[in-house]
C-alpha cells in the first residue's frame, strides 16, 4: 500500500533526489534516477556563485536549475496531496478499496502541501530573480563595454 501522506512528504523533502518516484514505482523508475542530475547541476551553480560571485555567467545559468527542480517537486507534492482517495488508490493501490486508509488526506498531508506551496513559490521566485539579475547585469556590462 502506497501512502499518500508519505508520498507527499517525500516529494517535498526528497523530491530533488528522486525519493517519491522510488517510493511509488520502485528502483526501476527512470525519473527517480534522472532527478538527481539537475539537482547536482544546480548545486554546482550555487557553489560557483558562492565562490565566484553573482557576475559569473555560468552560475546564473546553472543556479536556477536547482530552484526549478525543487519547485517542480513541490508542485508534485501538492498534486499528490490534492488527489482524491479514489484517484490515489486507482493509480497507486489498485488492489485496495477506493476509500482505504492509505489514501486518506490527513493533517500531515495538509501541512506537507502548505510547506510545499510556501517553499516552492519562494524558491521559484528566487530562481527567476537570480536568473534575470545575472542576465541583465551582463547586458549592462556589455553595454558599458560597447559605449567606451
Amino acid at each position: 500500500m502506497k501512502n499518500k501522506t508519505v508520498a507527499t512528504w517525500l516529494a517535498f523533502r526528497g523530491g530533488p533526489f528522486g525519493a517519491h518516484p522510488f517510493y511509488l514505482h520502485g528502483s526501476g523508475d527512470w525519473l527517480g534516477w534522472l532527478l538527481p542530475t539537475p539537482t547536482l547541476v544546480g548545486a554546482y551553480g550555487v557553489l560557483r556563485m558562492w565562490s565566484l560571485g553573482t557576475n559569473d555567467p555560468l552560475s546564473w545559468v546553472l543556479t536556477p536549475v536547482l530552484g526549478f527542480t525543487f519547485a517542480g517537486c513541490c508542485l508534485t507534492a501538492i498534486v499528490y496531496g490534492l488527489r482524491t482517495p479514489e484517484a490515489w488508490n486507482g493509480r497507486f493501490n489498485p488492489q485496495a478499496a477506493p476509500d482505504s486508509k492509505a489514501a486518506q488526506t490527513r493533517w500531515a498531508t495538509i501541512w506537507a502541501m502548505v510547506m510545499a506551496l510556501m517553499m516552492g513559490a519562494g524558491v521559484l521566485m528566487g530562481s527567476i530573480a537570480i536568473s534575470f539579475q545575472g542576465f541583465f547585469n551582463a547586458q549592462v556590462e556589455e553595454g558599458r563595454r560597447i559605449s567606451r
Side-chain angles (χ1 to χ4, degrees):
M1 296 287 287
K2 304 299 181 188
N3 190 303
K4 180 167 76 168
T5 303
V6 171
T8 303
W9 276 104
L10 285 175
F12 170 56
R13 298 288 295 171
F17 296 104
H20 61 287
F22 290 143
Y23 173 70
L24 294 172
H25 306 293
S27 63
D29 187 57
W30 66 272
L31 184 62
W33 291 107
L34 185 64
L35 270 170
T37 303
T39 302
L40 295 174
V41 166
Y44 175 68
V46 170
L47 290 175
R48 281 185 65 97
M49 189 172 289
W50 281 346
S51 63
L52 300 175
T54 57
N55 292 335
D56 178 40
L58 186 59
S59 67
W60 57 260
V61 170
L62 295 179
T63 298
V65 173
L66 177 62
F68 295 148
T69 303
F70 183 74
C73 291
C74 287
L75 179 62
T76 302
I78 294 168
V79 169
Y80 286 166
L82 291 176
R83 281 199 179 172
T84 63
E86 296 81 17
W88 181 265
N89 282 333
R91 172 80 170 99
F92 299 110
N93 300 321
Q95 74 282 5
D99 59 345
S100 72
K101 187 177 180 181
Q104 298 298 318
T105 302
R106 304 188 181 332
W107 278 107
T109 314
I110 293 168
W111 279 110
M113 289 188 298
V114 168
M115 295 296 293
L117 180 61
M118 289 186 337
M119 299 265 312
V123 167
L124 181 62
M125 288 188 293
S127 297
I128 292 170
I130 287 171
S131 180
F132 281 116
Q133 177 188 2
F135 174 74
F136 288 123
N137 283 346
Q139 293 300 314
V140 167
E141 289 302 318
E142 186 65 24
R144 286 181 184 158
R145 189 184 65 78
I146 289 173
S147 67
R148 289 184 198 170

